[in-house]
Amino acid sequence: MTAVFQERRLQVLIALATVLLGALLLFSRLGHYALWDDEAMDALSARGVVSTGDTTAVLGENIVAYRNGLLLVNLRHQGMPPLPAYAVAVSFRVFGESAWSARLPFAICGLFCVTLLAWWGFQLGLSRVMQAVLGMAILGNVSLLLYFRNCHYYGFGIFFGAAITYLYLTALQRPVCQWLAALVSGLLMTANYTWFVALYICLFADYMIWRRRKDQLSISSLMRILLPQIPFGLILLAWWNPLGTKLGGYLQSNTVVQKLQLFLWNWRDLNACEFISVGILLAAFWFALRDSDLWLRRALFALGLYVILVTVLSTQIIGETEVADIRYLAGALPLCIAISALTFRRISLRVPGWALGLAVLAFGTNIFNGGPLLAWGARSTIVAFIGELVSPPSDPYTPAAKWIRENVLAGQSIWVVPDYMNYPLIFHAPHAVYAWQLDKRGDQQFAALDSIHFRGEVLPDYIVVFGPSIVQIVGLVNSWRKRGVEYRHVATLETFWKDMYRPELFWHFDVLSGWDEIGLKGI
């Protein structure tokens, strides 16, 4: 009895240590960096919610018109799921507007998710060795930590997806858990439409293949799970329907061949961004087939189906990049951790003395990901991340916003190049007017806007250019000079121009270097 008590106490201590270390990694220097563009979009929507109660794109003299108004209907963000904006709006009302308060709701979800995964392992009665392996799999997954440290849908989507899966696998026959699953599903729907659809198709497929005969749900149970989700869906269809925006056309933007290419990219970049390593995936397939491990078979099937669904539903345009928009697959991170843990459970049964040592290599380095063959080489990503928390580098937006606050008068206009870097500056230096976000007035919703918002109608007072984008405007500025309009160089901000703190690992730890260029002032 004493030995059993000692074992359980060690399991509890390991689970608690996982949660406490997770909290430290999630909240340390959470507000250090300025918001990058996707984060700023949600934060600016939240600012609109605070002022109007709706996700308006009109903020004082500014508008927020991403990609020429791609997401807008009647000057409101209809193409963005509303939950992140409303949650951040609450945080703003309580703590004030800052990068820290914008990211706080998502980091809290991260703490909930780490706690859920650690508790799940404890509930399953894992040995202390396997509880430690699970802790390493969670804390060593830097991608998981980074997505929770961003002000965007990722944190909500990852946690809600994990919570729904937990309820499905452990307590789906209990009425109170069915109501809870319905509520969390509605929240997932309002956080990310694609992830909601993909998750429910995966759960339905799992149920039909593996659970229906042994654990069939009654009609009343299905009603408790599904009916409460209908109001969420109706509200979204009526007020935040992305298919009613220009974004809907992106679903048809790629050919079948391009979708197949994206599917292969997704698998490649799941490994490159260390969601799960190719070494663990191969071992998982081996154990699923050789040992007939049912849980590994179900998990691998779910991951394969999830990747297919996200690929089909993705709005990524293949011709614009050479990597997958891997952030669209962040909802699979808990599943990747589960596959890793299940694989190491098999390893511990076969070679128990090797499990911890192999886990240190698998989750503490990128060796199993083929690190030496990757462009950035072998590394310990978790050690690099801890080093970043201890001594974080600069970001391009903080000094740029500071310069604007100190040198640009309220109401003066700025053209930002490239255009997607507008939005962090609108958030962090909102007193200026950010020009030329729209190409033309053709859309009726833009008819009453000031001329400064339309490219070429009125010249801006300032031009702020980041990094190599300077080559895009040199010819234009020279042509204006010939017509008697001259801009002069007033400042160079000596900081690297790229936002290297994005959550995608192949961009987060970019080893390139350079300078942030260049503020130009009109005379």
Side-chain angles (χ1 to χ4, degrees), residues 52-123:
T52 69
D54 195 5
T55 52
T56 179
V58 180
L59 301 173
E61 295 183 80
N62 275 305
I63 60 166
V64 182
Y66 174 77
R67 290 200 179 189
N68 196 35
L70 178 71
L71 305 172
L72 302 185
V73 173
N74 296 324
L75 291 177
R76 46 180 300 280
H77 286 114
Q78 180 171 306
M80 294 170 61
L83 182 60
Y86 280 88
V88 175
V90 172
S91 185
F92 282 172
R93 292 298 296 267
V94 176
F95 300 107
E97 290 190 8
S98 67
W100 178 84
S101 60
R103 294 177 179 131
L104 181 63
F106 308 93
I108 291 172
C109 271
L111 182 59
F112 289 162
C113 190
V114 170
T115 303
L116 173 64
L117 295 176
W119 162 253
W120 202 344
F122 177 76
Q123 189 182 39

Side-chain angles (χ1 to χ4, degrees), residues 418-473:
D419 58 358
Y420 67 87
M421 300 184 92
N422 259 304
Y423 309 108
L425 299 182
I426 296 175
F427 180 80
H428 291 286
H431 70 287
V433 177
Y434 291 84
W436 292 14
Q437 293 185 53
L438 300 169
D439 289 338
K440 55 185 178 180
R441 291 184 179 271
D443 195 324
Q444 183 59 36
Q445 65 178 317
F446 304 140
L449 293 176
D450 290 341
S451 296
I452 192 62
H453 298 300
F454 298 92
R455 187 177 301 273
E457 287 196 7
V458 177
L459 292 180
D461 297 310
Y462 292 82
I463 305 174
V464 173
V465 187
F466 288 86
S469 294
I470 188 66
V471 300
Q472 300 175 23
I473 72 159

Side-chain angles (χ1 to χ4, degrees), residues 8 11-12 15 113-128 130-132 134-135 138 166 170 341:
R8 294 299 281 172
Q11 293 166 8
V12 169
C113 190
V114 170
T115 303
L116 173 64
L117 295 176
W119 162 253
W120 202 344
F122 177 76
Q123 189 182 39
L124 290 172
L126 297 181
S127 68
R128 57 186 174 183
M130 280 308 304
Q131 191 77 46
L134 177 61
I138 296 168
Y166 171 79
T170 64

